[in-house]
Structure formats: C-alpha cells, structure tokens
Amino acid sequence: MSKSPPIDTDKITDMFDSLADQYDSQCEQVGYLGPRLVADLLRECQLPEADTIRILDAGCGTGLLGPALGSQSRWLDGVDLSTRMLDMARQRGCYRGLITAELTEYLTGTDTSYHLIAAVSVLQYQGSLEQFIQVALKRLVLGGWLVFNVAAGPLLGDGYDWHTDGFYSHSPQYVMRLLGEAGVAGGGLRRLAWPCPCPFSEHALVFAVQRPVGLAE
C-alpha cells in the first residue's frame, strides 16, 4: 500500500469547478459507463416502488446519473464538492435536494436514511475507504443498497495505491475485507473495463451490497 497525502478537497473542488462546462462532453467522448451501470444495478437490486424510496447520488457531479436514479425514486438527493457541478446537475431537474459537501462528511453529519446510496466515479479520490463504508451503510434503511466502484488495483494486493496524478486504486481484497468487517455477508462484485476517468487503471471494481441486519448506529 502506497503512502498517500491527505485528501485535498480544495484542489478537487477547483479542478471540477473548472471542468464543469466540458465534463459531460468529455465523458461522452471516452464512453463513460456510469449511467448504464447504474441502470443495470437498479434492476438487480429490486428496490421497492419508486414512490416510496429516497436515493443519494454521492458525488453527483453534473448529474449524469440523475435520470436513471430519479426515475426509480420519490426523492433524489445529490452531494458534491463542486458548486459549478451542482449548478449543472440542478438544470437536469432530477434532484429534490443538492448539497455542497464532501460525501463522507455529509453522511457522517446527516440523519437522513436512504434506500440506495450510489457512489460512482468518486472513490478514486479517496485512499482509505473504511469510514466511507461504515457511515454509508449506517445511512441505509434495513435492506437498503450501497453501490459503488473503485479503480481496480492489484488482484493479489490488500490495500490501495496513490498515483502521482492524484488518483487512487484499490484492491478487491481490501474492499471486501472492509465490507466483511462492517458485517456485510454477501453482495455482488464485478470487474469491468472502465475508460474514464482513471488514466492508470483500465478496469473498475463494482460493488453492490445491502445494509447488514443488526448494524449498530
């Protein structure tokens, strides 16, 4: 596991504020898979009727996932560091609530419960995922789903690596160990070719897990 610097939220915010106007077109050019992936996962998760559930788009950016998530929920929240990205997301008309915050800090401070939390193309900016996984699972209703992806690290590793361009990759064993320590006993894992946005990793690990029964608040 490589040593990693603290998360520089100011740097990330500035970067995405500057990218906001071109972000959607850039993702389209590289064949970004996020919306299609989320649509597939929603079918597999078998959520309750849309008019009964609340979903969080964690690291929502410009709202590329908004149409897929919004169609499956009564209430869709989005959280992101970049106000410029949130301005773009607001224009889509999919979100009932948009919050400017770092996602783990938001999850730690809110008392809102969700049927689904989706963190797609966001966790490559974090090294340790222990706190995120713990607080995200606690913010789910009983039977709620947490779906997220990371840039795929070494198959035989048990940690994460920081890359000098500012991204992290995570090994499957590392993430599965954290999920197990949080009480998750099952769920889905897939490895997909992922063209965006991690230039050092050609694949993403995608996880879909439910809140464990008996998880303490």
Side-chain angles (χ1 to χ4, degrees), residues 129-148:
L129 300 181
E130 182 174 5
Q131 185 181 11
F132 166 77
I133 287 174
Q134 289 176 349
V135 297
L137 290 172
K138 290 178 180 179
R139 294 276 58 81
L140 293 171
V141 301
L142 183 63
W145 286 88
L146 170 63
V147 299
F148 64 96

Side-chain angles (χ1 to χ4, degrees), residues 77-178:
D77 287 330
V79 60
D80 202 275
L81 281 169
S82 168
T83 56
R84 287 287 298 118
M85 289 280 196
L86 290 174
D87 288 341
M88 304 289 286
R90 187 171 292 108
Q91 294 176 23
R92 295 184 188 273
C94 303
Y95 297 88
R96 298 284 294 276
L98 288 168
I99 305 101
T100 306
E102 194 277 325
L103 66 92
T104 302
E105 292 179 357
Y106 168 72
L107 290 167
T108 301
T110 187
D111 58 2
T112 301
S113 295
Y114 293 97
H115 294 79
L116 174 80
I117 295 174
V120 178
S121 292
V122 61
L123 296 178
Q124 69 270 10
Y125 300 104
Q126 296 193 21
S128 172
L129 300 181
E130 182 174 5
Q131 185 181 11
F132 166 77
I133 287 174
Q134 289 176 349
V135 297
L137 290 172
K138 290 178 180 179
R139 294 276 58 81
L140 293 171
V141 301
L142 183 63
W145 286 88
L146 170 63
V147 299
F148 64 96
N149 74 309
V150 297
L155 292 176
L156 299 180
D158 185 24
Y160 55 88
D161 289 290
W162 178 67
H163 302 262
T164 55
D165 48 10
F167 295 93
Y168 295 85
S169 59
H170 299 81
S171 74
Q173 288 85 349
Y174 169 71
V175 181
M176 293 175 70
R177 174 169 59 81
L178 293 183

